[in-house]
Amino acid sequence: MASLRQTPLTCSGHTRPVVHLAFSDVTESGYFLISACKDGKPMLRQGDTGDWIGTFEGHKGAVWGVALNPEATRAATGAADFNAKVWDAIKGEEVHSFQHNHIVKSVNFSTDSNHLCTGSNEKIVRIYDLNKPEAAPQIFSGHTSGIRHVTFFDNNTALITCADDKTLRVWDRNSGQEVKRLDFPAVPSSMEVSKDGSIITTAHSNIVTFWDSKELTKIKEFMAPTQVNSVSLHPDCTIFVCGGEDFKMYKFDYSTGAEIESFKGHFGPVHCVRFSPDGELYASGSEDGTLRLWQTVVGKTYGLWRCVEQPPTIQENVAVVNNKQEVPAS
C-alpha cells in the first residue's frame, strides 16, 4: 500500500460550500448520498460512484442539513428559508414542508421513516409525525442557543442533540424531558452515533471524543493536527476519519489514536465527513463547493477506482459531464 496514493472521486455540481452530507443504508439498488449546500440545491447521488441522480428544487435559501431514510425512498432537508422539507427521493418531488421560525440546521428520520426530527436556531427541537403531517409537532426545549445536530437514538425512544450552547443533550421522547447532558469547553462541531448505537462521536476545537452512549461516559479522546469540523467512525469501529480547517482528510486508528494517513484533496476547509454504510469509502464536503469520495483501503478495486502507482505517468481524474461523472477513456 505504500506505493499507492489516494485518488478521490470529485463530485462537482454545487456552486457554494457543501456543509452537510448523509448516506442511506445499503438497498437493493446500492446506497445513496445526499449533500447540503449553501447554494440551496441539495443533490442526490449514487453513493459508491458519486454519479449525480438529481437535485431537489424548492428551497429559497442555503440548505444546512440533509438526511435520507434507510431505504433511500425519502429525503429531508433543512434550510435558511426557515423550512424543513421531505421529498420523494425516487421522483424528486416535495412531499411535505414544515415552517419554522428560524434557520433549520439539522433534520433526521426515525429508523422506521415515520417521524422527522428537526433542530433550528429557535433553540428547540421538533418531531413531526409524517403519517399526520398536519398535526402539531412534539417540542423539546432547553437549549439556550441554536441547535447544530439532532438525531433519533435508542430505537427511536430518545433524541440526541448538540448546540451552540456548548452542550450535548439526550431527551426522552415519551416525557419530552432532558435526561442526560454533556458540557464542552467549546462549541461541539460534530456529532455522530455509531452504526450499532453504542458510541457517540463528538469533536470540538481539535479534540475528538468517543462516548458510551448509554452512560455518556468518556471512552477515549484524541487530539487532531487541526481544528476539526467533522468526524466519522467506521461501521466496524476500527478507524475514524476527520477533516477541518487545514483542508486535509485524516485517518486514525480507533484503538490507539495513531494517525494512519492523511490526504490533501480539497481547496478549502472540510465541513462534513461520513463513512458509507458498507465502510468501503468516506465522503467529504468542503468550502470549495465539492464532495469527494475517498477509499477506506487505498488501491482496492471498488466503484470507479483504479490503482494509481507512484509516481503516476498520467494523473487520472474523474471528468464531470453534465453533473454526471465518467472515467475518461485511457
Side-chain angles (χ1 to χ4, degrees):
M1 290 302 175
S3 64
L4 299 177
R5 72 176 184 184
Q6 180 76 274
T7 306
L9 304 181
T10 302
C11 306
S12 299
H14 284 301
T15 59
R16 294 197 64 202
V18 178
V19 291
H20 191 241
L21 57 88
F23 283 100
S24 71
D25 286 352
V26 178
T27 73
E28 291 181 356
S29 303
Y31 59 87
F32 299 87
L33 171 65
I34 187 172
S35 53
C37 182
K38 290 184 180 180
D39 64 12
K41 299 180 184 298
M43 291 186 177
L44 183 68
R45 299 176 186 272
Q46 191 72 37
D48 61 339
T49 63
D51 283 342
W52 177 82
I53 295 172
T55 299
F56 298 102
E57 301 273 0
H59 279 296
K60 296 177 181 178
V63 174
W64 286 99
V66 285
L68 289 171
N69 70 339
E71 301 81 20
T73 57
R74 289 285 186 269
T77 53
D81 61 8
F82 297 9
N83 281 291
K85 295 181 184 289
V86 176
W87 310 79
D88 183 320
I90 309 298
K91 299 178 181 178
E93 298 170 351
E94 181 180 309
V95 180
H96 306 297
S97 187
F98 300 111
Q99 180 73 40
H100 290 60
N101 297 315
H102 214 305
I103 297 170
V104 183
K105 284 290 186 71
S106 182
V107 291
N108 259 304
F109 289 100
S110 58
T111 54
D112 59 11
S113 305
N114 288 326
H115 292 84
L116 179 77
C117 61
T118 68
S120 72
N121 282 0
E122 295 172 77
K123 312 172 189 176
I124 62 174
V125 172
R126 293 175 170 89
I127 295 181
Y128 294 90
D129 185 339
L130 298 181
N131 296 314
K132 301 175 183 176
E134 303 304 322
Q138 184 180 7
I139 290 178
F140 301 77
S141 59
H143 278 294
T144 57
S145 294
I147 313 294
R148 282 186 170 242
H149 301 288
V150 57
T151 188
F152 286 96
F153 174 63
D154 199 13
N155 295 319
N156 304 317
T157 63
L159 291 174
I160 300 180
T161 58
C162 71
D164 288 338
D165 60 11
K166 303 179 185 178
T167 68
L168 178 149
R169 307 184 192 213
V170 180
W171 308 80
D172 178 75
R173 275 187 68 185
N174 288 329
S175 68
Q177 299 300 306
E178 175 188 318
V179 291
K180 289 189 179 71
R181 168 174 168 164
L182 288 172
D183 289 270
F184 295 88
V187 174
S189 56
S190 179
M191 182 187 80
E192 180 190 64
V193 180
S194 63
K195 190 176 180 69
D196 65 3
S198 66
I199 300 171
I200 301 170
T201 305
T202 64
H204 67 276
S205 303
N206 67 329
I207 299 171
V208 176
T209 312
F210 301 92
W211 309 87
D212 178 277
S213 64
K214 295 294 185 184
E215 303 299 328
L216 285 196
T217 52
K218 187 183 297 183
I219 300 172
K220 53 186 67 181
E221 187 170 84
F222 305 115
M223 294 183 67
T226 186
Q227 179 178 320
V228 176
N229 293 329
S230 187
V231 58
S232 186
L233 180 62
H234 192 277
D236 69 8
C237 301
T238 56
I239 58 174
F240 65 95
V241 293
C242 65
E245 291 301 303
D246 68 355
F247 306 3
K248 296 173 75 174
M249 291 298 305
Y250 292 91
K251 183 190 296 179
F252 296 91
D253 183 286
Y254 173 73
S255 296
T256 66
E259 181 181 321
I260 298 171
E261 56 199 12
S262 63
F263 300 106
K264 179 78 174 290
H266 284 292
F267 297 97
V270 177
H271 293 313
C272 47
V273 179
R274 279 295 178 268
F275 270 107
S276 63
D278 63 2
E280 291 288 349
L281 62 83
Y282 48 100
S284 59
S286 168
E287 184 74 16
D288 66 15
T290 68
L291 282 164
R292 293 176 194 251
L293 305 183
W294 309 78
Q295 287 185 290
T296 302
V297 179
V298 182
K300 185 174 182 178
T301 301
Y302 182 83
L304 294 181
W305 277 282
R306 307 172 187 176
C307 290
V308 181
E309 296 184 357
Q310 284 224 56
T313 54
I314 299 175
Q315 175 65 46
E316 291 189 344
N317 287 321
V318 173
V320 179
V321 181
N322 295 328
N323 282 341
K324 290 192 129 182
Q325 295 182 329
E326 297 177 1
V327 177
S330 299

